[in-house]
Amino acid sequence: KNQVEQSPQSLIILEGKNCTLQCNYTVSPFSNLRWYKQDTGRGPVSLTIMTFSENTKSNGRYTATLDADTKQSSLHITASQLSDSASYICVVSKYNNNDMRFGAGTRLTVKP
Amino acid sequence: DADVTQTPRNRITKTGKRIMLECSQTKGHDRMYWYRQDPGLGLRLIYYSFDVKDINKGEISDGYSVSRQAQAKFSLSLESAIPNQTALYFCATSEQGAGDIQYFGAGTRLSVL
């Protein structure tokens, strides 16, 4: 069983709308949680990284939250654009950082 | 992505063949990684290296080998390719201490027939 579960698997929204993607994890001990964006045919690109003591981190229209007690994270996208269409991947690292567990991703499609 | 270059971008091979995937980086990072990505699954770590000559197994190293003979280059080999190694392979780099943020190449799509 994957230690990082993301939901929904896929999502379609209209341009300009907001959306929230979810990530639940069981990875322990916890070091940090990252969100990546992966465009079709490209490698993942880092959006945010949060450690245990951080509960929110923003990168432009992307805002990630972390609740380390419930082991949940979310990625909120504000005022979506067509270029936001991509897969969004949640990655949780154990304390030594070289043991990272990747979620399967949420495929977001933004339509005009 | 241009700082981390993977070759080839696409490869079709036959079962039993030996194949090598190359990764080179111009970022000057000490850490390099090889992952595979399968539909519906998250990326899984195959091997990683923290320095030249340093090799560590990841989650799914069976059937693969790697070589890190220069800081900028990290190659992945399939000694005898099998169909279930058909996947998208990614190389990544990171620098210790800089949040260990990983930078990924564009990927190599490998099909084993």
Side-chain angles (χ1 to χ4, degrees):
Chain A
K1 181 174 166 59
N2 198 354
Q3 297 179 42
V4 180
E5 298 287 345
Q6 292 187 242
S7 61
Q9 279 190 323
S10 61
L11 181 62
I12 301 174
I13 62 173
L14 293 176
E15 187 179 14
K17 297 296 186 182
N18 303 335
C19 68
T20 300
L21 314 180
Q22 300 290 343
C23 174
N24 296 338
Y25 63 92
T26 59
V27 175
S28 181
F30 173 86
S31 175
N32 58 66
L33 184 146
R34 311 156 195 246
W35 282 94
Y36 283 86
K37 178 186 179 187
Q38 184 177 15
D39 292 308
T40 301
R42 307 291 294 274
V45 175
S46 179
L47 292 175
T48 64
I49 178 170
M50 291 180 291
T51 60
F52 184 88
S53 60
E54 298 173 295
N55 57 21
T56 187
K57 184 71 72 77
S58 291
N59 178 358
R61 295 179 295 102
Y62 300 103
T63 299
T65 65
L66 172 66
D67 185 335
D69 291 332
T70 62
K71 298 186 177 181
Q72 297 179 326
S73 176
S74 65
L75 180 68
H76 186 74
I77 304 174
T78 304
S80 61
Q81 300 176 358
L82 298 179
S83 59
D84 292 332
S85 293
S87 288
Y88 291 85
I89 302 171
C90 175
V91 186
V92 181
S93 298
K94 290 190 173 182
Y95 67 90
N96 58 359
N97 263 343
N98 57 328
D99 189 353
M100 287 183 274
R101 301 293 165 151
F102 288 71
T106 291
R107 178 70 201 175
L108 175 66
T109 302
V110 181
K111 292 194 170 182
Chain B
D1 277 9
D3 296 325
V4 183
T5 302
Q6 293 184 231
T7 55
R9 290 296 313 277
N10 292 281
R11 181 71 184 267
I12 299 174
T13 191
K14 294 182 178 180
T15 297
K17 294 291 187 181
R18 182 179 189 275
I19 184 170
M20 180 180 290
L21 309 183
E22 303 277 4
C23 177
S24 62
Q25 52 121 343
T26 59
K27 300 187 77 67
H29 289 169
D30 47 0
R31 299 182 171 190
M32 297 188 74
Y33 311 78
W34 274 106
Y35 292 91
R36 66 176 280 175
Q37 187 176 39
D38 298 277
L41 298 178
L43 275 77
R44 291 179 292 168
L45 183 62
I46 305 172
Y47 273 96
Y48 63 97
S49 168
F50 282 177
D51 203 349
V52 176
K53 302 295 186 182
D54 174 66
I55 301 295
N56 303 282
K57 291 184 177 181
E59 183 184 355
I60 52 164
S61 59
D62 288 347
Y64 302 94
S65 63
V66 291
S67 174
R68 181 96 185 270
Q69 294 187 328
Q71 188 194 40
K73 296 184 184 296
F74 193 34
S75 60
L76 176 71
S77 293
L78 287 67
E79 297 301 325
S80 179
I82 56 177
N84 75 0
Q85 291 178 312
T86 294
L88 188 54
Y89 290 85
F90 285 101
C91 173
T93 74
S94 70
E95 185 175 25
Q96 183 185 11
D100 211 18
I101 294 174
Q102 291 189 321
Y103 297 85
F104 286 80
T108 294
R109 186 167 296 279
L110 175 66
S111 296
V112 183
L113 305 180

